[in-house]
Amino acid sequence: MPLPGAGMLITLIDIAPADEPGFNHWFDKEHLPERVHIDGFIDGRRYRALRGEPRYLTLCATRSVDVLDGPAYQHAIAHPTEQTRLYISRFQRGTRSIVSVKHSAGEGHGASLAFITIARDPSGQLPDAHIPALLEHIVAQHDVTAAHWVHCDPERSRSFTDPDARAPMNAGYCLIEGTHPDAVDAQAQAFICALQHQAPNPIALTGLYAFMMGLDKAN
């Protein structure tokens, strides 16, 4: 399994263009290193949107989803730095999704990533039975490195800008990684088409993202 843990923290953030230089400096130099060094965190990766929104995506792998309820992470949440308070107050839109990894295929990370949101069907179910085989097929294609299926926990997750916005996070996400954005986009569209023929769940390509930087515990 290419993902190094069973849990993940996913953030999606928009910020005003005038605030982007300071925001990126804070995130790269302070915020992401702080998060990766928390006990139970394994690595962190940042992406910028090529298409779609929000503009910035961050993935932090954790040993388990319970790490995100643990004392080390909760202490960091309760004691933000001055710069953290400043930039959170400037988020125009953002979510913090705590997810559990259900299936992960392939090897390695890619320079491009498609972020696909899959809503629950009218009975409240996600299409778990259909997705693993589709992802295994996708990672066998040219220029695709890995693909992952995760469930968002709406009770643990929240919006940075609207604490009552639960519904958008009561979903599953597919992440498709590869070496070239056109290949990743094509495989994301093929995945969406195939799943629409198998399951009634609403599905959308939230965004196509380019890798910015990453850290792991060794750093």
Side-chain angles (χ1 to χ4, degrees):
M1 185 166 103
L3 288 179
M8 185 180 285
L9 174 66
I10 300 175
T11 61
L12 287 156
I13 297 166
D14 271 332
I15 196 157
D19 288 326
E20 282 190 283
F23 165 79
N24 284 316
H25 181 81
W26 160 72
F27 216 112
D28 292 346
K29 301 297 186 180
E30 177 186 302
H31 191 62
L32 192 61
E34 178 191 63
R35 289 300 186 254
V36 170
H37 289 140
I38 291 172
D39 184 43
F41 277 61
I42 298 170
D43 65 22
R45 293 183 277 155
R46 293 194 68 207
Y47 298 83
R48 182 185 286 114
L50 297 170
R51 187 174 73 247
E53 53 189 22
R55 181 161 170 76
Y56 291 99
L57 165 68
T58 305
L59 309 176
C60 290
T62 62
R63 194 168 51 240
S64 72
V65 72
D66 293 333
V67 166
L68 297 158
D69 284 330
Y73 180 61
Q74 292 304 313
H75 182 272
I77 292 295
H79 299 86
T81 68
E82 181 179 349
Q83 289 292 294
T84 298
R85 288 194 298 271
L86 171 66
Y87 284 106
I88 287 178
S89 73
R90 295 183 178 183
F91 292 172
Q92 294 184 330
R93 175 175 49 177
T95 59
R96 184 178 72 208
S97 297
I98 292 174
V99 308
S100 55
V101 179
K102 298 302 179 182
H103 189 80
S104 189
E107 296 292 340
H109 302 315
S112 303
L113 184 145
F115 191 94
I116 300 166
T117 300
I118 303 172
R120 294 182 181 272
D121 67 17
S123 67
Q125 300 302 307
L126 289 168
D128 294 285
H130 303 290
I131 287 178
L134 293 176
L135 296 188
E136 294 290 344
H137 174 74
I138 283 172
V139 298
Q141 307 309 306
H142 292 303
D143 296 321
V144 176
T145 57
H148 323 289
W149 168 233
V150 302
H151 283 195
C152 181
D153 184 332
E155 296 306 315
R156 288 168 157 160
S157 305
R158 70 176 180 86
S159 167
F160 288 113
T161 53
D162 182 1
D164 297 323
R166 294 289 189 183
M169 292 182 286
N170 189 14
Y173 306 132
C174 273
L175 315 177
I176 299 174
E177 304 188 57
T179 58
H180 194 280
D182 290 344
V184 170
D185 184 42
Q187 291 305 318
Q189 299 298 340
F191 171 84
I192 290 170
C193 183
L195 188 61
Q196 285 175 330
H197 282 89
Q198 297 182 30
N201 304 72
I203 179 170
L205 178 59
T206 300
L208 183 66
Y209 289 85
F211 180 74
M212 294 175 65
M213 60 91 71
L215 292 173
D216 58 33
K217 276 292 199 259
N219 295 324

